[in-house]
Each structure stands twice: as structure tokens, then as C-alpha cells.
Amino acid sequence: MRVTFGMLGAVTAWDEAGDALPLRGPKHRAVLARLVIAHRRVVPVARLVADLWDEPPDNAVGTVRTFVGGLRRALEPDRPPRTPPRLLVTEGPGYALRAATEEVDAWRFERAVATLDDARPSQVVTVLSEALDWWRGPAFADFGEERWARAERARLTELRLHAVERRAEARVALGAAALAVPDLDAHLAEHPWREDAWRLLALALYRSGRQADALSVLRRARGMLGEHLGVDPGPRLRRLEEDILRQAAPLDPDADATVGRVWERATAAYESAVSTRARTRLESTAGLMRDLAVTGGGGLEAARHHRAAAVAAAEQLGDPELTARVIGVYDVPAIWTRSDDPEQARRLVAAAERTLRQLPPDGHDAARCRLLATVAVESRGTLPTDRPATGESARPLQAARQAEEIARRLDDASLLAFALNGTFMQTFHRTGLAARRDAIGAEIVSLSARNDLPRYEVLGHLVRIQSRCALGDLAGADRHARAADVLAARHDLPLVAVFTTWYRALRTSLTAPPATALAAYDRAADHLHGSGMPGLRHGLLPLARLSVAVRHGEPLTAGRPTDWGPYAPWVRPLLLAGEGRAAQARAALRDLPAPPRDLMSEALWCLVARAAVAVDDPATMRRAHAQLLPAAGEQAAGSGLLTLGPVTGHLDTLTAALERGSPRRSG
């Protein structure tokens, strides 16, 4: 029987069918691991005794021989009596494992890495992708703290880290830089001191057309090395940053040099021709910011900053028509209902309203439409929580309706797509409106596909992921996630993956055990780092992890301090109740405002409902029931990122709790 040995993870052995052999207890596996570390050399019995016990028992030598005998029976069960063993042999003062290189995954991995010194990049990717798949966990995982295993474990770990970086380098060389980015991101999350990995990640981002992200990575590397190690980046990292800043030709040897020359000549001509034309420059700046916003996290952050500056500069010139164009040209699709920079959004809305009042009453319908749509989009999450929208608070709703009406009258596809984005952002005045949002998403998809508006076509698919989740149609959500990913790859829209990855984590959480669901959300959270969307990122991972615990009935406690971000007020009562602090939970519920009217509204009301039931708070139960009732046919999953299950289940729990308590309370 051919036996293979696994050291790249928990120590184990398999037969020819791939079934694990019965290696019995940890000491048996320790003997096997110690012999593998010796690389076919003899390990004296005295050495094994010293390694296995800090204070060896009196019969230690005999016990080691018993372990070896048990291992031999497991490794060669069909060996005839009195026949010498083939694998675990006795030699001189001790024992040796005479396995072939291909029979031990650690030895096989080492050989694979060693054979690639002069290999072509394509061969490197193929060989290392297979070899890295052999790892099931840390090398010698059962014995990581044993002194006899530390050196070999560290050596193999370093080989693995080198292999990850070597494969990434090969992918970059093959022109597949975008494929290298996720692996390097995950690699650095676990091993942030690897300077060469930082260099490769920045280079991969740059060659993927994400210059701002590349520079952001280099800033992170500098901060990490300086803050935690007290050292400056090495010369290779410093040189790479300088090269990226000046877009040095050697950074992208495979790029079409003609494109670079065209860009340089065009920008030089622009500088020369419009150097003193402030109005033209402002409009061009706003257009560039619109394109920059969809390039990734660094680009989005820069776009927000420069957009606000351009609007302020346009207002200073005193030309409302120019200001309208500068504000309106930034029609970047928006999917999340919490603003990344609420103060800046407030200033943009105020500028748009001032400009609307200053425009001549006749004409300028397209500009007016864009300004109204801007008001609707940038006012996301500002609907009143506990009362109907009236007066000033109803303005975003009115702006959305007016923008859509003008766009339909003008029969302008791009205007209508932007206006529908504003309408979507204002469809949260009550719970249970997933079907309405689904219809908006469907119209955006259809309109954009007919009129070649890929960014809005992606928006429509993302809206439909959210709405189909709320409507319980995961097959439909799957289709829209695939469509969004295809469009994102075709049109270089990296931020789309943030939402589709989180949706797939939600999908996993519905069918997988809690540990697998939590791991999926942890991986999804990696996509948020550097995304430039703090309004989405802040508090989301803890809330997603809480949703898994709630649905699986796991204990809920505050535990160690957690940054719940904007969700803290609606999470705290449930955590207090989980810790048995009922009086504090009731006090928190008594003073609790309604959650914001946004994509998390149903989910947060479900958390409030559970807390109210847990501490028998009838007033809050009735309040939560009234708010959730319009969503009775939906799932608490309208965000497309996390779910608390069917809303009906929470309503039933509330109803039952209220009915149980009503006689006692009335008496």
C-alpha cells in the first residue's frame, strides 16, 4: 500500500484511496512528525525521548518503541509477520522514515519551489498554484509550539510566503496583475512586515490601472513599518513610489507606448490652450472626477475632495449656469444609502439648491434635472425616522420626483438613469418597499443596456441584488451578481466586487454553519479596506457577524469592545439583554430613536424587536411590530449584505410575546 504523509497542516497520513490512516494518539503523530523533520535521517531513541517529554517517565524508551510499533501497523497494515518494515525502519540507535520525496507533502512542496529558479512565468504560476493548494493550515499544526518543530515550521512557512510572492510576481509579469491583487492583499493582512509583498501589491495595482490605490498601498506600508517596526521603507519601495509618481516607463513595459504618447501630447496641448480659461478647466475637472470616482478606493476619496473644491470654485465665479454644469456632470452611480462624508454631502446639496434658485426660470431643463437628482442622491439617509416627511424634510423626495419627471419629458436616457438613482435613494420612507426598488433597478438595467450606459447598468444589477434578497429570490440575486461582475470586469469598475462579494457572503451564511459564515464575512470585509467608502465599511463586519449569531441562536454578549459604528444604538439593547442586564436594556430601548430609513432599516428593527421581547418591553414591541408590518412578506435582507431571516418570523415572535403578556398587564 502506498502511503502519503501530510505535514502542511495537521499531521496525518493517507492510504492510496485518500482515506486517513488511524495514527492513534498525539504522541504517535509526534513521533511521525519528528521523523519527517529529520529528512530520512536516523533519529536516536534518546533524542525522541528528550523531544517527547520534558520529564521522561521511567519506561520512556519502551513507550517510544510501542509508539513506533503502532505507527508501523498503521502505515503497513498488510506487512507479513517478521518481514522488515519498508517505511519506518530501525537503524543503529534509532529510527528513520524512508518515504520518497513525493510521498511527503512538505518535501514535495520544497522540491516544487526549488525547481523554478529559471522557469517561465507561466510555469511558475501553474506549479506554485498547485503546490500552494497542498497547504491545509500551518505546517505541523499539532506541534507548532514544540521546540523540535519550530525551526522546520518556520523554514516551511518562509518557503510558503516566498511562493505566494513568487506566484504574484509571475502573474504581474504575464500581464494578469489584477489576479495578483486579492492574493497579495490577503497575504499582507497576515504578514504585514513583508516589504517585497507591499512592493508587488503596489506594482500590481499600478499595472491594473489603479495608480491612486498603488500609492495608497505604499503609504500604508510606510505607516506600518514606521509605526510598528520603527524603520523606513527600503530602497526598492522608495524607488517604486517615485516611479509611480512620475509614471516611469519601466513600470509598465508591456503597455502600449502609443497610448502614453497620446495622453502626454493631449494634456500638454490642453495646458497650453486653456491654461487661463478657468470655466473650461472647472468643467473638465468635474468630468475627470466623475471618471476617477469609479477607479477604486483612492480614486473615490480623491474624487470627493476635488469635486467639492470644483463646486466651491464655480460658485465663486458667480455663474449659476457654470455651477450647474460642474455639479451636474458628476453623475456617479450611488448604491449605498449612508453617506461617506455627510458634511460634504450637506454642502453639495446646499450648493445645488442655491444654484437652482439662481438659474433663469425659462430653459435649462437638463441642468435643473441634474441639480435635482444631485439633491436626491446626496440627501441619502436624511429622511425623518419617526414621523412622515413634511416641509423641509420632504425636499429630497420632491427633488427625486421632479428630476424623474423632467428626464422623462426630455426623453434623455442618461438624465433618466441619474434621476432614477435619486428616486432609488428616496424609496426608504417606510419598510417593505423592496418590490418598488426592484422595479427601479429593472428599469435602470433595461434603459442602460439600450443606451450604452454601463455604469448605470451595473447600478441596476446591484439594486436588484438587494431587492431580490429582500424578496427571497436568491437565484435572481445570483444572476444579477454575475451580470454585475461581468460588466465590472469589462469596464474596469473595481468597487463593484465589494458589493458582489458581500452578497455571496450573505448567500453562504444562509446555508453554511456559523464558523463558515463568519469566515465568509471576514473575507468579504477585506474588500472594504481601501475602498474609500467609510459610510459602508464602518460597523458593517460586526453587524454581519451579529446577524449570524442571532439567526443561529448563539449567545449574545457585549464581550470585548467592538466598534459598531453607526449601528451601536440599535445593537446595544440586544447585547445588554444577552448579558442578563434587563433593566439597562429596557432603559436603552426607552430612549431609542427609530433606525435611519435606509437599507439597514428592516434588519435593525428586527434587532430591536428581539431585544424588546427578551426584556418584556411591550411598548417597544408594539412600536417594532408597527414598523415591520409593511415588510411582512420580505426577508430582513434588503441590504444585500446581511440577513436576519424572514420578517414574518420576527412579527410572529412579537405577536406571541404581546399576547402572552396582555392578560397579566391588563390585570
Side-chain angles (χ1 to χ4, degrees):
M1 179 179 70
R2 183 174 184 269
V3 178
T4 53
F5 300 89
M7 304 292 134
L8 303 179
V11 172
T12 189
W14 301 281
D15 62 19
E16 290 172 314
D19 296 322
L21 296 177
L23 298 182
R24 303 180 65 181
K27 295 292 188 186
H28 291 75
R29 293 196 301 277
V31 170
L32 178 60
R34 184 64 185 83
L35 295 175
V36 167
I37 286 173
H39 281 261
R40 288 191 286 269
R41 294 187 296 273
V42 173
V43 180
V45 173
R47 180 73 264 169
L48 286 172
V49 168
D51 286 339
L52 290 177
W53 292 281
D54 292 329
E55 296 182 13
D58 293 338
N59 62 340
V61 171
T63 304
V64 167
R65 288 173 178 155
T66 300
F67 293 154
V68 170
L71 280 171
R72 283 172 170 163
R73 286 189 294 274
L75 298 178
E76 298 183 72
D78 299 327
R79 180 169 58 88
R82 293 181 295 280
T83 303
R86 177 184 69 85
L87 281 171
L88 207 170
V89 302
T90 303
E91 190 170 318
Y95 304 99
L97 186 73
R98 300 301 190 193
T101 298
E102 63 269 19
E103 292 171 340
V104 180
D105 59 2
W107 299 351
R108 196 164 71 246
F109 180 82
E110 184 175 357
R111 184 179 64 180
V113 174
T115 59
L116 295 173
D117 286 348
D118 300 315
R120 299 184 306 276
S122 58
Q123 184 183 0
V124 169
V125 171
T126 301
V127 171
L128 291 184
S129 292
E130 180 183 1
L132 287 166
D133 282 343
W134 300 334
W135 285 74
R136 297 168 289 112
F140 303 98
D142 323 45
F143 309 105
E145 299 307 314
E146 300 292 341
R147 62 183 182 278
W148 50 266
R150 288 174 193 162
E152 182 67 359
R153 177 183 166 108
R155 190 180 69 85
L156 286 168
T157 300
E158 179 60 27
L159 271 179
R160 180 184 174 278
L161 300 180
H162 171 71
V164 170
E165 292 164 11
R166 180 83 190 278
R167 181 178 64 175
E169 186 175 42
R171 281 176 168 163
V172 171
L174 288 169
L179 291 177
V181 170
D183 284 350
L184 286 169
D185 243 334
H187 177 64
L188 280 164
E190 291 186 281
H191 309 282
W193 322 125
R194 308 278 297 184
E195 273 200 58
D196 205 46
W198 286 110
R199 181 186 65 81
L200 284 169
L201 177 58
L203 180 60
L205 287 165
Y206 181 85
R207 291 197 180 175
S208 302
R210 298 167 62 181
Q211 178 180 341
D213 286 348
L215 290 170
S216 176
V217 159
L218 291 170
R219 287 194 295 272
R220 281 167 49 204
R222 185 187 301 109
M224 182 76 68
L225 295 170
E227 180 179 348
H228 295 282
L229 295 183
V231 299
D232 292 324
R236 297 184 78 191
L237 272 181
R238 294 198 303 271
R239 186 164 57 249
L240 177 61
E241 184 171 25
E242 293 167 2
D243 287 346
I244 289 176
L245 286 169
R246 61 188 179 87
Q247 298 180 341
L251 285 182
D252 202 359
D254 298 324
D256 187 349
T258 302
V259 174
R261 287 196 297 272
V262 168
W263 175 264
E264 290 173 6
R265 290 170 183 171
T267 52
Y270 188 92
E271 288 281 340
S272 173
V274 299
S275 58
T276 59
R277 300 178 190 174
R279 287 168 170 76
T280 303
R281 285 208 158 193
L282 277 177
E283 288 189 65
S284 299
T285 298
L288 283 172
M289 292 310 103
R290 175 186 58 195
D291 294 335
L292 182 61
V294 297
T295 62
L300 180 57
E301 291 177 291
R304 279 200 299 268
H305 171 75
H306 294 299
R307 176 200 183 190
V311 171
E315 283 203 287
Q316 286 180 359
L317 292 174
D319 183 343
E321 295 177 26
L322 169 67
T323 304
R325 292 195 298 272
V326 170
I327 293 174
V329 76
Y330 191 90
D331 55 353
V332 177
I335 183 64
W336 194 242
T337 46
R338 187 176 291 275
S339 177
D340 292 318
D341 188 338
E343 178 55 30
Q344 185 188 91
R346 187 192 63 76
R347 291 197 301 268
L348 285 168
V349 168
E353 292 284 20
R354 284 193 298 270
T355 306
L356 279 166
R357 291 192 293 270
Q358 293 166 4
L359 281 176
D362 299 324
H364 304 289
D365 281 354
R368 202 177 307 276
C369 177
R370 289 187 176 276
L371 290 170
L372 289 165
T374 298
V375 170
V377 170
E378 295 297 340
S379 297
R380 68 189 85 178
T382 61
L383 287 168
T385 54
D386 276 329
R387 62 188 188 281
T390 56
E392 184 179 342
S393 66
R395 174 56 178 161
L397 283 166
Q398 296 167 353
R401 295 185 186 118
Q402 291 170 354
E404 186 178 342
E405 178 186 334
I406 294 172
R408 292 190 187 283
R409 176 162 46 81
L410 294 177
D411 195 23
D412 185 314
S414 64
L415 273 181
L416 181 56
F418 189 20
L420 288 171
N421 197 171
T423 301
F424 162 74
M425 282 295 176
Q426 298 302 322
T427 54
F428 296 90
H429 46 280
R430 66 167 173 84
T431 61
L433 290 173
R436 169 69 177 128
R437 289 191 284 277
D438 193 53
I440 293 171
E443 182 174 6
I444 292 174
V445 169
S446 175
L447 175 75
S448 303
R450 292 196 312 270
N451 293 279
D452 193 23
L453 302 171
R455 295 175 185 176
Y456 274 98
E457 190 174 355
V458 167
L459 172 68
H461 286 299
L462 295 181
V463 169
R464 299 206 71 188
I465 291 172
Q466 295 170 340
S467 57
R468 298 323 294 177
C469 281
L471 296 171
D473 177 16
L474 293 179
D478 288 342
R479 289 193 298 274
H480 290 293
R482 287 193 297 270
D485 283 336
V486 168
L487 286 165
R490 186 183 304 155
H491 298 282
D492 195 18
L493 304 171
L495 292 178
V496 173
V498 172
F499 295 96
T500 56
T501 301
W502 270 86
Y503 160 68
R504 292 186 176 100
L506 178 157
R507 193 77 157 87
T508 298
S509 77
L510 291 171
T511 56
T516 304
L518 294 177
Y521 274 125
D522 287 343
R523 289 192 298 273
D526 291 340
H527 286 258
L528 290 171
H529 297 303
S531 67
M533 294 186 285
L536 173 66
R537 175 173 55 85
H538 199 195
L540 181 58
L541 179 59
L543 191 65
R545 295 177 67 89
L546 178 66
S547 73
V548 174
V550 167
R551 288 193 301 105
H552 287 273
E554 295 189 344
L556 305 176
T557 60
R560 60 183 177 83
T562 299
D563 182 5
W564 294 98
Y567 311 113
W570 300 281
V571 169
R572 185 167 177 268
L574 186 59
L575 298 181
L576 291 170
E579 293 180 335
R581 297 156 68 184
Q584 290 172 272
R586 289 191 194 96
L589 287 170
R590 186 170 56 247
D591 300 328
L592 189 67
R597 296 174 187 260
D598 60 19
L599 283 163
M600 288 294 189
S601 183
E602 286 89 350
L604 294 179
W605 272 118
C606 288
L607 296 180
V608 172
R610 287 184 68 95
V613 170
V615 299
D616 193 25
D617 179 342
T620 303
M621 283 191 269
R622 285 190 288 270
R623 183 183 176 204
H625 190 281
Q627 292 292 336
L628 287 172
L629 190 59
E634 296 184 6
Q635 303 283 317
S639 66
L641 310 181
L642 57 85
T643 179
L644 283 161
V647 173
T648 300
H650 298 275
L651 288 169
D652 290 346
T653 300
L654 288 166
T655 300
L658 287 166
E659 289 175 350
R660 281 196 306 271
S662 57
R664 176 170 55 81
R665 295 188 190 104
S666 62

